[in-house]
Amino acid sequence: MSNNINGVLFQFFHWFLLEDDSVQNDKSLWAFLKEEADHLRKIGIDSVWVPPAYKGASTDMSRENRSKGYDVYDRFDLGEFNDRGAVRTKYGTKEELHEAINALHGYKKSVSGNLVKDDNKRYIQVYGDIVINHQAGGDEDDFWEAIRVDKDDRNNERWKPGLESGEIEIKAFTKFTFAARANKYSSFQWSSRHFDSVDTAAQIRQNGNIFNEQGGKYIYRFIANEAGYNPQFKNFEKWVSLEKGNYDYLQDSDFDYGRFDVREEVKFWGQWFVKEIGLDGVRLDAVKHISAGYIREWLGHVRAQTGKPLFAVGEYIAYSGQSSILHNYLTQVTASGEYPQDISLFDFPLRFLFRDASLKGDRFDLRALNYNTLTAEQPAKAVTFVENHDYQFGREFESHVQEWFKPLAYAFILLRDRGYPCIFFPDYYSFNNNAYHEGKPKGRDYLDLLLQLRKEFALGEERYYAERTVAGWVRMGFTPNAKGAMAVAINTAARAVQSMRMNTGRFNKRFYHLATIKFIDNAFLVVRGRYDLYGDKAEGLWTDANGGGDFLVDSGCVSIWIEDGTGLS
């Protein structure tokens, strides 16, 4: 995590990102990131999470469908080799990636061509997306022994003789030679022995018969390693999610971390990747499907070999009310084994509560936001977010946070005293309509305001209050860099201004209305100064002799009130 006061992370991509889109000034994502580095500094961003920077499996070269990197093909190809139909990745070339990271780190090239730190440019950390659960796009391999496993109950393996049952051999797409790279950076070549399961077979052989079977119907778990290899037999990993009995298998060709050579190659790639592009941290994809022990091993190795402390945040998807699962995972990685490793997790339970609140409106009890979340229970390990690439509008039915609620949710994560908040690319920049997806409006104006408030007023002790449809908090200040006290209120009631009584610790003090943020006519509106619906408190209000005040907020809005005599820079 950034050492800066109230650090903020920015997820600089989304699922429906078009290649060289007008939102990116018709440039590759890497070129646009380089161009935006100074702006990100200006608005108070401390770290940037970039998408998978390596070559994906998809050979569809359309702007919409080029691989997003999560179907990993070659982790050592960062847009350098002519493979899978192109040299560049969806996001640009390796050279453009280096230039973007240098710009974020505040380096520039001297006349001689050497990189020189510009002392006038604040260092922004860069977190790489680490996808080490699976690999995709391989060639057809030789037959290998396997058994069918039910997709929804991984404990049910179909060993008994019968229809679509019994031991089989399969040819899977598990052969990776990376001919275009020609062993540069690594000579490791992959085959069936290096994976523990797939869900598609090119051919099946059983009892002397060779046939095909509908892909995706079963998981095919490989039974054994090659003769003489220890361990002889394969199995699903332990210390993974127990959903579906055992949630080791997610997609494509699943790495077998029971093998020493696989563990070592993936660790070697990790240290190479961090050094090659100068990462400061990592976002670990799909950790619920990987042994917690291996995540601990991988982080320990890469940190030791690179000499970097490396901030790490894991994507462990847990739903509303499932925060205990995240606590158990944190214990396995941070407090178990011979070399425990520090890690944070995205607070998915909180994010799903945001989604629920946006769908239910005044039928949702806002008091629930402060319970059964990682942010409420272990805030030092929580990375908070409102939206991401997996759940944004268009990914699944009603998976997204509705636009009207986003200012309330962002105020909740940016202006409170807990968690490490993350801003999502299209929530800031917007994105365009296209044949595959409906565009959404940008939130740049209100997010710029919240970011500035986070750095100047969201400091010091917090006093939090909540009722069913209105909630609020006061940041007391009284700390270095704090300009004064701030009160924030959010309201989900339908068509009603509400008030939240809060104690500010400021006695007989005037607070002025800084802004109310609302979503109206498919756009975000920041109303500063006078807000007529607040009546005699349209411009400001007074606290009583005990420091209490009734802070008003319009329906479906967030309102911000600042101690008189102070203001934003």
Side-chain angles (χ1 to χ4, degrees), residues 231-269:
Q232 180 61 60
F233 296 103
K234 294 178 176 289
N235 215 320
F236 287 134
E237 293 181 47
K238 308 300 181 187
W239 283 112
V240 295
S241 169
L242 296 180
E243 291 176 51
K244 304 178 186 291
N246 179 298
Y247 216 171
D248 176 10
Y249 184 81
L250 175 63
Q251 67 183 77
D252 302 317
S253 300
D254 190 84
F255 284 150
D256 181 2
Y257 285 122
R259 290 182 63 104
F260 178 78
D261 52 356
V262 173
R263 295 201 308 274
E264 292 301 298
E265 175 65 7
V266 176
K267 287 189 297 186
F268 171 74
W269 168 78

Side-chain angles (χ1 to χ4, degrees), residues 29-243:
L29 184 69
W30 299 148
F32 181 60
L33 178 54
K34 175 185 176 182
E35 185 178 88
E36 286 292 283
D38 285 340
H39 177 71
L40 295 174
R41 286 188 184 86
K42 179 181 177 181
I43 64 174
I45 299 303
D46 302 285
S47 51
V48 170
W49 159 22
V50 296
Y54 20 87
K55 195 67 61 72
S58 173
T59 56
D60 186 338
M61 292 296 105
S62 66
R63 296 170 70 234
E64 296 85 1
N65 296 325
R66 191 193 289 266
S67 172
K68 297 155 181 70
Y70 291 99
D71 58 337
V72 191
Y73 172 69
D74 186 358
R75 290 169 182 78
F76 288 98
D77 184 355
L78 307 182
E80 182 180 3
F81 305 99
N82 190 1
D83 206 352
R84 310 306 290 181
V87 172
R88 63 170 285 174
T89 68
K90 181 183 182 73
Y91 311 111
T93 65
K94 182 178 182 179
E95 182 179 0
E96 289 176 318
L97 172 60
H98 277 297
E99 290 176 353
I101 293 176
N102 289 336
L104 291 169
H105 285 167
Y107 284 88
K108 61 183 180 181
K109 283 189 177 180
S110 66
V111 176
S112 63
N114 295 322
L115 286 176
V116 178
K117 182 71 174 73
D118 186 338
D119 293 333
N120 295 318
K121 293 186 183 293
R122 180 170 56 84
Y123 189 101
I124 296 178
Q125 294 186 345
V126 180
Y127 302 162
D129 210 320
I130 306 298
V131 185
I132 54 174
N133 176 72
H134 54 268
Q135 201 151 283
D139 296 323
E140 186 176 316
D141 210 341
D142 295 330
F143 280 111
W144 206 265
E145 293 177 320
I147 192 71
R148 296 177 183 89
V149 180
D150 284 358
K151 297 191 75 171
D152 294 324
D153 181 5
R154 312 298 174 79
N155 294 319
N156 185 15
E157 299 189 337
R158 302 174 68 87
W159 287 96
K160 295 180 180 179
L163 180 65
E164 298 183 355
S165 191
E167 187 174 328
I168 56 176
E169 296 174 282
I170 67 169
K171 283 188 174 184
F173 300 99
T174 50
K175 188 176 183 180
F176 298 84
T177 59
F178 312 118
R181 182 161 53 82
N183 293 332
K184 187 175 182 180
Y185 306 126
S186 171
S187 60
F188 196 92
Q189 296 188 357
W190 299 79
S191 63
S192 293
R193 69 188 67 188
H194 299 115
F195 304 97
D196 60 29
S197 46
V198 297
D199 69 356
T200 302
Q203 288 186 324
I204 298 176
R205 185 165 65 189
Q206 186 174 22
N207 299 326
N209 299 312
I210 295 177
F211 54 94
N212 296 317
E213 193 167 77
Q214 177 185 347
K217 189 174 182 180
Y218 298 106
I219 295 169
Y220 302 103
R221 184 180 68 76
F222 294 127
I223 296 173
N225 289 303
E226 65 272 28
Y229 191 90
N230 185 24
Q232 180 61 60
F233 296 103
K234 294 178 176 289
N235 215 320
F236 287 134
E237 293 181 47
K238 308 300 181 187
W239 283 112
V240 295
S241 169
L242 296 180
E243 291 176 51

Side-chain angles (χ1 to χ4, degrees), residues 417-443:
D417 68 345
R418 53 196 60 204
Y420 182 18
C422 180
I423 293 175
F424 186 41
F425 182 101
D427 288 344
Y428 189 85
Y429 289 105
S430 82
F431 55 98
N432 294 324
N433 289 315
N434 61 62
Y436 297 87
H437 186 61
E438 174 187 330
K440 291 295 178 183
K442 65 181 177 181

Side-chain angles (χ1 to χ4, degrees), residues 394-427:
R395 290 287 276 145
E396 297 177 18
F397 179 68
E398 293 189 340
S399 64
H400 64 293
V401 175
Q402 302 282 316
E403 298 303 307
W404 75 270
F405 191 78
K406 284 184 177 178
L408 287 69
Y410 272 112
F412 192 90
I413 69 171
L414 287 169
L415 302 184
R416 295 202 58 202
D417 68 345
R418 53 196 60 204
Y420 182 18
C422 180
I423 293 175
F424 186 41
F425 182 101
D427 288 344

